Amino acid sequence: MMRPGSLKIVFTRVLLASLQFVVVFFINGCDERWKTYQEQYYEISSAKNSSIKIVSQVKERVIRNADLKISDKCVTCHLGVTDTLMIGEKVPFKKHPGKYLGLHPPETYGCTVCHRGQGDSVREEIAHGDGTRDAVLKGDLIELSCYVCHREKILEGSPVVSRGKQLLLDKNCVGCHLIDGLSPIKRTGPTLKSIGSKVRRKWLFKWLKNPKDCLPNATMPRFELLDEHADALAAYLMTFKDVDIESAKEVSVGDSKEGGNLARLVRCISCHPFNGTGGHLAPDLGKIGNKVNKKWLAAMLKDHRRFQPESTMPQFNLSDGDVKNLVAWLAEEFTDYEIAESEMQDSTKEKSDSLSIDIGRRIYKELRCSNCHDLRGNDDWLELGPVLTKTVNKKVDKIDFGNSTIPRTLPDYIFEKIRRPKVFATKTNLMKMPSYDISDEDAKDMTLALLSFASTKMDTGKYVVAQKETTPFEPQGEAGKLVEKYKCFSCHAIKGRGYNLAYDLSLEGSRLTRDWLYDYLMLSYSIRPILVERMPVFRFKSEEAKVLTEYIMEKLVSSDLNNSVVNGATSEMIARGKTLFDEKGCMACHIVGEKGGYVGPSFTIGIPIGNKLQAGWVYAWLKNPQAIKPDVLEPNYGFSDEDAKALTTYLMSLKKR
Amino acid sequence: MKTRSSLWITITGCCGLFLSTMIFFGCKIQSGNTIAAMNDSTKSFTAIVTSAKYADNLTRVEYKGRSVYNQYCRVCHGEDGDGKGFNAYNLKNSFGVEPADFTDSTFMVNHTMENIMNVVAKGGKRMNKSQYMPPWGETLNREEIENVVAYIKVFSRLKALGDLSK
């Protein structure tokens, strides 16, 4: 039986044991480094801020927000996160980089919402949680935090994930996989309905074996087909011919030299590289002679949208003679005769019997070719691969790693699947996904992009401001038709639509003079020799150039740019502008007279700046070039209003009468 | 009886102390092992994504600086930092000015980080150099300037490595 005293003893023992546990825990957990950090911080801060003597108490600091379930003591050590004086200091005093804290004030959002870690501790090892599940996110992983709350496709603050999402679209992952949140499926490969009339069969076979053998930057992946399967697929595809091309007579021999001159004039090289040299918008034409039939090439140059309605290539105004010459030039100059010869000696049998064609048809279906290419004009999509937004929410034990030796984690699985999809293939599961030969860097970004789609339980409704959706800009009337014909949006952006390869045209009507614009459209000369991708010479008809000029001068203007800044220009002001121009070294990049660098446009060669630009625009540009063109090379000199006015006056005085 | 109970208390106390210490350090050892495991698999996604080294063996700061350099500086100072950019020919012909050669290690040693940052921010003229080096202080923020100067320092380092391997 238990004596009354024994209960007391047991109680004492338990009490003492737990007390000792607490003492041990306290000794271990007692880390006073944060106090040293705070003292150091106040020293640095006082040294930098001589006018104010900073008197602050050394104490634990904490940010609490019940909505976001945070209680962050990070600012106990990381004191300078919002202090502009702390730019360039060492961790933990350093100011937080970028604009992130301006948009997410730490008083509200704390730190762990983005950085993770254990905010309720001031002991570094515990707070940072290295090696545990609650570790502070390192490297690019931090960008995943943006997508806990934001669901936008592209976020400015997360360049790596945004790049990854763009890659997912460019490589057409969405062709076979549904990804909630990325734009709907669109076929990225060319239409194949006249492929049999377009390419040579030898070329097609080689392409199907490995597209990168034919075109080093090919988008199409490698399906690792057996020779007989590639041949059967080629046989099937060759049956899709264009009646008009087949019945047309051979292209008569043109003048290759004239063709070359024309190609240089219209600047094919701005978009098409030739054996690696040139732009990057369109396929390499360096070996086009080994690839296509002359009859198809001629028909395509006349009207390429008959074959590829979605193409971004502009429609050039080519006469029959021009086409003949261009075909001659392309076929003569850009045929690799070594390849042509080896093809002649190649003795592989090409089978075109109905059995091969039937096998080809089945392979076409099996490989899901129709998810990227259209064969008959209205092909159905076939059964898709896994929905990736579901995959990223899978538990690790539900993933089939096959025989691979990679670490058993979801990110590693996705990463490896993107880089080398066949790694997971086993005898029973061959894996349909083809190899894209994606570099580690790209695969990393794509993995992060996919991980950003993982679902989260965070309810942040009132803290997230959704980005506004805007309707894309659509030019109307005659000009609208011309913009479509010449595919202006393939290079230029207008009011947020189009690409940023060439000048943004949103303010063009306030920037240029009418005469200069019309002349430039009629003959587009080289303005910035440093660029590879220059405006092609479209050889507009004069009515077309007039319509475009009128449209630009009427519609693409801003009332903020006022030409009256140079009103009442005096010779003193011009002289002052000239002095400024020389002092600031503007001629390092711009030519005036016979001297100067050639980075920006020349001010006196050809049409002088006074005849080309409008004063209001020049003034606004000088005040802040990056406000008009964010990536421009011209530095912002921080000119005062008077200086900018004097310089504008001087520049506008460089004029031909 | 009294002595026996105090002995008991001491024994239990010692056990408690021992156990709690074990538990505490046990946790620590456990987490240390996880870190080691993560570092071992250099090819793993986590290793690549958290790596401090970026393409071409650059640090994060240098890597960020490279894109700024290629955007703004390359045209005169050249892709390889040798002062032979696209525009260098015109500068020499027109004004007899040559852009600085960042691969020249003696030149780089004589210029501190602070010094180069000042030239970038304030331009050549205010630092008693050529006026044809424009000021970037209004265009780039302090962080970008720091990054780009870090990258400028890479050229002489690469040159020195190249010379060593010869």
Side-chain angles (χ1 to χ4, degrees), chain A residues 232-431:
Chain A
L233 185 53
Y236 171 63
L237 290 173
M238 290 308 281
T239 62
F240 289 84
K241 294 195 190 287
D242 188 279
V243 190
D244 292 347
I245 294 179
E246 291 305 309
S247 60
K249 56 180 191 301
E250 281 299 320
V251 185
S252 51
V253 184
D255 185 343
S256 148
K257 214 171 155 190
E258 277 297 307
N261 288 340
L262 181 61
R264 278 184 285 275
L265 176 74
V266 302
R267 293 204 190 105
C268 304
I269 203 164
S270 276
C271 298
H272 290 281
F274 288 84
N275 290 323
T277 319
H280 61 274
L281 287 178
D284 195 313
L285 300 183
K287 292 187 176 65
I288 183 99
N290 301 72
K291 176 183 173 185
V292 301
N293 288 324
K294 285 184 192 173
K295 281 202 278 186
W296 178 87
L297 192 55
M300 184 284 244
L301 285 168
K302 273 307 271 182
D303 178 12
H304 67 269
R305 257 162 252 180
R306 185 155 80 82
F307 304 102
Q308 300 298 339
E310 297 285 306
S311 165
T312 51
M313 178 162 152
Q315 183 64 58
F316 291 90
N317 298 319
L318 300 172
S319 68
D320 288 347
D322 293 338
V323 168
K324 204 169 68 182
N325 295 342
L326 274 175
V327 170
W329 179 68
L330 285 168
E332 266 178 42
E333 296 284 322
F334 301 102
T335 301
D336 189 327
Y337 289 101
E338 272 176 33
I339 295 177
E341 205 165 292
S342 70
E343 275 175 2
M344 295 280 276
Q345 287 162 358
D346 187 8
S347 58
T348 11
K349 275 203 190 110
E350 288 177 359
K351 289 186 200 158
S352 299
D353 51 300
S354 61
L355 182 65
S356 302
I357 292 174
D358 202 45
I359 294 172
R361 179 183 298 124
R362 274 167 32 211
I363 293 172
Y364 187 86
K365 204 172 164 188
E366 185 64 23
L367 297 180
R368 308 292 187 269
C369 302
S370 60
N371 288 353
C372 287
H373 297 280
D374 206 4
L375 199 49
R376 293 176 200 83
N378 58 345
D379 287 359
D380 292 332
W381 268 293
L382 293 170
E383 174 215 320
L384 302 165
V387 178
L388 292 184
T389 19
K390 279 188 189 155
T391 306
V392 292
N393 289 318
K394 258 191 186 176
K395 294 230 164 62
V396 178
D397 51 3
K398 295 274 190 295
I399 295 173
D400 180 6
F401 283 89
N403 300 328
S404 73
T405 54
I406 60 158
R408 262 48 181 166
T409 69
L410 176 72
D412 277 295
Y413 172 77
I414 299 176
F415 182 59
E416 201 63 13
K417 181 90 184 177
I418 293 172
R419 284 198 307 166
R420 293 179 298 177
K422 300 288 182 206
V423 163
F424 302 107
T426 53
K427 272 180 189 160
T428 49
N429 188 352
L430 291 172
M431 293 285 154

Side-chain angles (χ1 to χ4, degrees), chain A residues 3 9 12-13 16-17 20-21 24-25 28 87-88 97-98 123 130-132 138-141 407 411-412 415 419 440-441 444 447-448 451 529-530 582-585 587-589 595-599 626 630-638, chain B residues 1 5 8-9 12-14 16-17 19-21 23-25 28 31 34-35 38 41 43-46 48-51 54-55 60 63-64 71-72 75-76 86-87 90-91 93-95 125 131-139 142-143 146:
Chain A
R3 277 170 294 149
I9 292 167
T12 329
R13 280 174 204 165
L16 266 172
Q20 272 160 350
F21 188 87
V24 169
F25 190 85
N28 264 299
I87 296 173
R123 195 179 154 212
D130 287 334
T132 65
K138 283 187 183 157
D140 296 335
L141 282 174
D412 277 295
F415 182 59
R419 284 198 307 166
D440 285 5
E441 180 79 17
K444 181 199 80 183
T447 310
L448 281 170
L451 291 173
I530 192 171
D582 292 340
E583 261 177 21
K584 297 290 177 188
M587 282 165 80
C589 296
K595 278 185 173 179
Y598 217 165
V599 180
Q626 278 72 27
D631 60 344
V632 73
L633 257 75
E634 175 156 336
N636 179 350
Y637 282 86
Chain B
M1 195 63 209
S5 85
W8 261 110
I9 291 169
T12 339
C14 286
L17 184 77
L19 267 175
S20 51
T21 323
I23 290 167
F24 201 82
F25 282 105
K28 267 190 106 172
S31 68
T34 334
I35 300 170
M38 278 166 78
S41 50
K43 266 191 169 176
S44 81
F45 174 71
T46 332
I48 289 180
V49 82
T50 56
S51 148
Y54 279 68
R60 195 180 170 85
Y63 183 74
K64 281 180 170 175
Q71 167 80 7
Y72 296 102
V75 67
C76 292
F86 171 86
N87 202 36
N90 292 310
L91 289 175
N93 260 13
S94 300
F95 315 110
K125 197 167 185 203
Q131 80 223 56
Y132 296 107
M133 166 72 193
W136 296 98
E138 301 277 334
T139 315
R142 164 122 189 168
E143 196 188 330
E146 263 174 32

